[in-house]
């Protein structure tokens, strides 16, 4: 092995450079399997380095399985699986390169408005929390009492739900809570009714426990409850205040009928109240759990209305399920951050949560008006707008005789990222493509530009 192979650089240790060079030779097959390597002394003399340097390089190669030492015989190359490395050294052909238009406008749903986030207040409270003795523990398995008390107060004021703080379970996300909930329900409830279209991540949680899914059709006018009595399930998952993804709200008559159904079947309603705070035409509708808390499992979260990365969700359990849940998970650690819980509890206690919701409702209302106005201006009768009364996104049914895939690809070509809705349908498919447009993290100027580019893309 010639000295010229190793052109040492000054920015990293020589043993590391030797190790990396031999690793490259072996992965490329330049040194075949079972071939001997130079001895430590020969390599050191050849490269004009110390024996410790070459020894360290060989020891690293041995540790990672590239070579082996065989007593006094020396070091030999191990046989490696070629599939692990064959793609790493294939250079792309020129005709394989594809120009990608940079994303100018991203209509992603689930984001929040960063410019109005109460960063200074949140940081101040978080710093205060770090001085508390309880911040340096592991926390309660079902969530901190101070946060559960604040949530109980908030739910009574805003959603009409009367609950004891001890009936509230804190979790990291709605999906994680559903997985835990499924653990205590699956033996008594082998199947569950879900909305179609509906929340796909909830379906994944139900599939995890092998629930059989029955589907409840949902249209722009609301859910079709006429088939409910024919179904076998005694468990149903719904998003009544802002149906995901259609955006329609369940009427009071439908809510009462669903409560009656659950009582008659001795079943349960899982109510996902994911972003009920943001209704722009009237006050937020009362929760199902405010009508009958004995048959409703209520879910809420702080991700969509405050900060996705905070990973804070909660569940209110009926008394019949509460003891069973706590017995099942008593010896499991909490799935969410203790510091986030304590900070949010203080944030709510100081009234900042209510101020934030009130402020953001106005901000998002303006953005909703902006995107609706621009869509009507640019597309006129070529699109129908679905779900403009509430939420942080809307749906656009496109009447251009184009596929969902085509619409998304064309938008991407013009630097606009839009999202499919076909993933939310099981049986009740739409006869025309529907595109999902989130607007919460965009300015009105960005919204207008995005819609104008969509007009060019889809013309």
């Amino acid at each position: 092995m010639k000295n010229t192979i190793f052109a040492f650089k000054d920015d990293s240790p020589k043993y590391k450079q030797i190790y990396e060079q031999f690793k490259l030779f072996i992965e490329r097959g330049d040194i075949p399997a079972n071939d001997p390597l130079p001895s430590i002394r020969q390599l050191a003399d050849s490269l004009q380095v110390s024996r410790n340097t070459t020894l360290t390089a060989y020891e690293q190669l041995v540790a990672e399985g590239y070579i082996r030492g065989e007593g006094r015989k020396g070091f030999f190359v191990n046989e490696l699986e070629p599939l692990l490395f064959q793609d790493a050294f294939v250079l792309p052909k020129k005709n394989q390169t594809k120009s990608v238009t940079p994303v100018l406008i991203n209509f992603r749903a689930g984001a929040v408005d960063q410019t109005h986030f109460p960063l200074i207040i949140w940081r101040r409270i978080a710093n205060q929390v770090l001085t508390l003795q309880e911040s340096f523990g592991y926390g309660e398995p079902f969530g901190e009492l101070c946060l559960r008390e604040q949530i109980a107060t908030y739910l009574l004021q805003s959603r009409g739900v009367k609950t004891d703080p001890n009936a509230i379970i804190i979790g990291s996300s709605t999906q994680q809570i559903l997985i835990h909930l499924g653990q205590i329900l699956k033996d008594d409830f082998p199947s569950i009714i879900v909305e179609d279209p509906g929340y796909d991540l909830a379906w994944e949680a139900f599939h995890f426990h092998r629930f059989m899914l029955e589907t409840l059709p949902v249209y722009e006018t609301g859910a079709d409850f006429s088939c409910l009595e024919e179904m076998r399930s005694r468990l149903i998952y719904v998003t009544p205040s802002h149906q995901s993804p259609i955006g329609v709200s369940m009427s009071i008559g439908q809510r009462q009928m669903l409560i009656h159904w659950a009582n008659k079947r001795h079943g349960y309603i899982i109510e996902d109240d994911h972003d009920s705070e943001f209704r722009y035409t009237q006050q937020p509708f009362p929760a199902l759990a405010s009508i009958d808390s004995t048959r409703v499992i209520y879910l809420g979260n702080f991700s969509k209305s405050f900060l996705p990365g905070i990973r804070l969700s909660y569940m209110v359990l009926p008394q019949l399920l509460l003891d069973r849940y706590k017995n099942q998970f008593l010896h499991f650690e909490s799935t969410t951050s203790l510091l986030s819980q304590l900070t949010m509890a203080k944030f709510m206690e100081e009234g900042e949560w209510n101020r934030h919701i009130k402020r953001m409702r106005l901000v998002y209302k303006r953005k909703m008006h902006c995107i609706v106005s621009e869509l009507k201006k640019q597309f006129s009768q070529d699109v129908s707008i679905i779900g403009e009364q509430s939420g942080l996104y809307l749906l656009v049914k496109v009447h251009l005789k184009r596929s969902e895939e085509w619409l998304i690809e064309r938008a991407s070509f013009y630097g606009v990222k839009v999202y499919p809705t076909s993933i939310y349908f099981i049986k009740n498919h739409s006869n025309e493509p529907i595109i999902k447009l989130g607007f919460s993290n965009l300015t009105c100027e960005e919204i207008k530009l995005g819609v104008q580019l969509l007009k060019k893309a889809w013309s």
Side-chain angles (χ1 to χ4, degrees):
M1 192 160 295
K2 296 182 179 179
N3 191 21
T4 53
I5 292 176
F6 292 89
F8 288 120
K9 302 174 183 178
D10 295 331
D11 57 351
S12 66
K14 290 183 178 179
Y15 85 86
K16 187 175 181 181
Q17 295 182 54
I18 296 170
Y19 149 77
E20 289 175 345
Q21 190 70 69
F22 270 108
K23 177 182 172 183
L24 181 62
F25 290 155
I26 295 168
E27 289 179 349
R28 287 195 313 206
D30 294 342
I31 308 177
N34 299 313
D35 268 20
L37 297 182
S39 70
I40 291 171
R41 183 170 63 180
Q42 287 173 336
L43 187 60
D45 292 343
S46 172
L47 300 179
Q48 297 181 354
V49 296
S50 70
R51 294 181 188 178
N52 282 339
T53 299
T54 54
L55 175 61
T56 304
Y58 275 12
E59 286 177 340
Q60 185 65 32
L61 290 166
V62 169
E64 294 186 16
Y66 286 96
I67 66 174
R68 66 185 184 276
E70 295 188 359
R72 295 182 180 182
K73 292 182 180 181
F75 294 92
F76 297 83
V77 176
N78 284 330
E79 187 171 355
L80 302 178
E81 175 56 58
L83 291 176
L84 295 174
F85 310 107
Q86 64 181 11
D87 295 335
F89 307 103
V90 177
L91 296 176
K93 297 178 182 178
K94 288 186 179 181
N95 60 4
Q96 290 178 331
T97 58
K98 185 178 180 181
S99 60
V100 179
T101 306
V103 177
L104 302 175
I105 305 296
N106 190 346
F107 283 106
R108 180 179 180 180
V112 296
D113 187 309
Q114 297 179 19
T115 59
H116 290 85
F117 182 78
L119 180 61
I120 295 175
I121 297 170
W122 183 260
R123 183 179 290 164
R124 170 181 61 80
I125 295 174
N127 288 338
Q128 290 176 0
V129 162
L130 279 171
T131 66
L132 303 176
Q133 184 177 354
E134 54 264 39
S135 294
F136 292 83
Y138 287 96
E140 297 297 321
F142 305 115
E144 298 308 295
L145 178 60
C146 57
L147 178 57
R148 288 185 278 122
E149 289 175 338
Q150 291 299 324
I151 291 173
T153 301
Y154 169 71
L155 289 179
L156 180 60
Q157 294 173 347
S158 67
R159 311 297 295 124
V161 178
K162 187 176 183 180
T163 182
D164 188 281
N166 289 319
I168 298 175
I169 307 293
I170 306 295
S172 60
S173 68
T174 298
Q175 192 178 49
Q176 173 266 312
I177 283 177
L178 285 174
I179 290 174
H180 277 201
L181 179 63
Q183 183 65 29
I184 68 165
L185 293 176
K186 62 182 181 180
D187 291 337
D188 296 330
F189 302 90
S191 64
I192 184 170
I193 301 167
V194 297
E195 297 168 318
D196 181 17
Y199 183 38
D200 58 324
L201 295 185
W203 300 343
E204 292 299 326
F206 302 139
H207 282 309
F208 180 81
H209 289 295
R210 294 182 172 86
F211 282 98
M212 187 191 78
L213 301 188
E214 294 187 283
T215 57
L216 177 73
V218 180
Y219 305 97
E220 295 170 38
T221 53
D224 179 7
F225 285 98
S226 62
C227 57
L228 198 60
E229 291 297 331
E230 301 171 8
M231 297 183 184
R232 292 178 294 173
S233 302
R234 296 186 297 119
L235 191 63
I236 186 170
Y237 169 86
V238 290
T239 51
S241 293
H242 181 231
Q243 200 278 330
S244 176
I246 296 296
V248 66
S249 296
M250 196 179 291
S251 70
I252 185 62
Q254 290 175 320
R255 290 166 188 252
Q256 290 173 339
M257 185 179 72
L258 195 55
I259 292 289
H260 176 73
W261 171 87
N263 278 289
K264 181 181 175 182
R265 294 212 176 181
H266 302 286
Y268 290 100
I269 303 163
I270 303 175
E271 177 183 15
D272 188 349
D273 210 22
H274 57 102
D275 63 355
S276 61
E277 293 89 356
F278 302 120
R279 185 166 186 82
Y280 309 121
T281 53
Q282 305 96 13
Q283 289 295 314
F285 290 176
L288 274 171
S290 68
I291 302 173
D292 186 350
S293 60
T294 63
R295 288 293 165 187
V296 178
I297 302 164
Y298 180 89
L299 309 180
N301 71 80
F302 293 99
S303 296
K304 293 176 177 63
S305 54
F306 186 66
L307 184 65
I310 198 173
R311 301 288 79 195
L312 266 182
S313 296
Y314 53 90
M315 168 173 62
V316 182
L317 281 174
Q319 191 60 47
L320 288 173
L321 296 176
L322 185 60
D323 292 338
R324 191 191 308 180
Y325 185 95
K326 289 190 172 182
N327 288 334
Q328 177 78 52
F329 295 104
L330 179 62
H331 301 294
F332 286 75
E333 295 283 356
S334 174
T335 60
T336 192
S337 164
L338 171 63
L339 296 179
S340 294
Q341 291 185 63
L342 295 175
T343 305
M344 179 55 74
K346 189 69 174 173
F347 189 78
M348 297 178 80
E349 183 185 350
E350 293 185 3
E352 295 296 342
W353 171 253
N354 286 330
R355 281 189 281 273
H356 174 74
I357 293 300
K358 186 177 181 180
R359 177 170 61 249
M360 297 313 298
R361 191 178 291 129
L362 294 174
V363 170
Y364 292 141
K365 183 178 181 179
R366 286 196 295 269
K367 293 185 180 186
M368 178 67 87
H369 177 75
C370 176
I371 192 171
V372 169
S373 298
E374 194 64 26
L375 283 167
K376 289 179 178 178
K377 175 182 175 182
Q378 295 295 332
F379 289 96
S380 185
Q381 303 301 314
D382 289 335
V383 301
S384 296
I385 298 170
I386 304 170
E388 62 183 283
Q389 292 83 17
S390 57
L392 305 181
Y393 66 86
L394 51 73
L395 304 184
V396 177
K397 183 180 283 189
V398 185
H399 314 303
L400 296 175
K401 296 183 180 179
R402 296 288 189 175
S403 68
E404 179 186 81
E405 183 181 10
W406 185 90
L407 294 169
I408 293 173
E409 286 183 357
R410 286 287 297 174
S412 177
F413 183 77
Y414 279 79
V416 183
K417 192 168 179 63
V418 298
Y419 294 84
T421 61
S422 55
I423 58 174
Y424 306 123
F425 290 82
I426 299 176
K427 299 176 182 177
N428 183 33
H429 297 283
S430 171
N431 57 356
E432 290 182 290
I434 301 175
I435 300 298
K436 188 175 185 179
L437 301 179
F439 55 82
S440 50
N441 196 32
L442 298 173
T443 64
C444 276
E445 290 72 23
E446 290 170 331
I447 290 170
K448 290 179 180 178
L449 174 60
V451 175
Q452 290 164 10
L453 289 172
L454 284 180
K455 174 63 175 178
K456 292 180 180 180
W458 294 348
S459 293

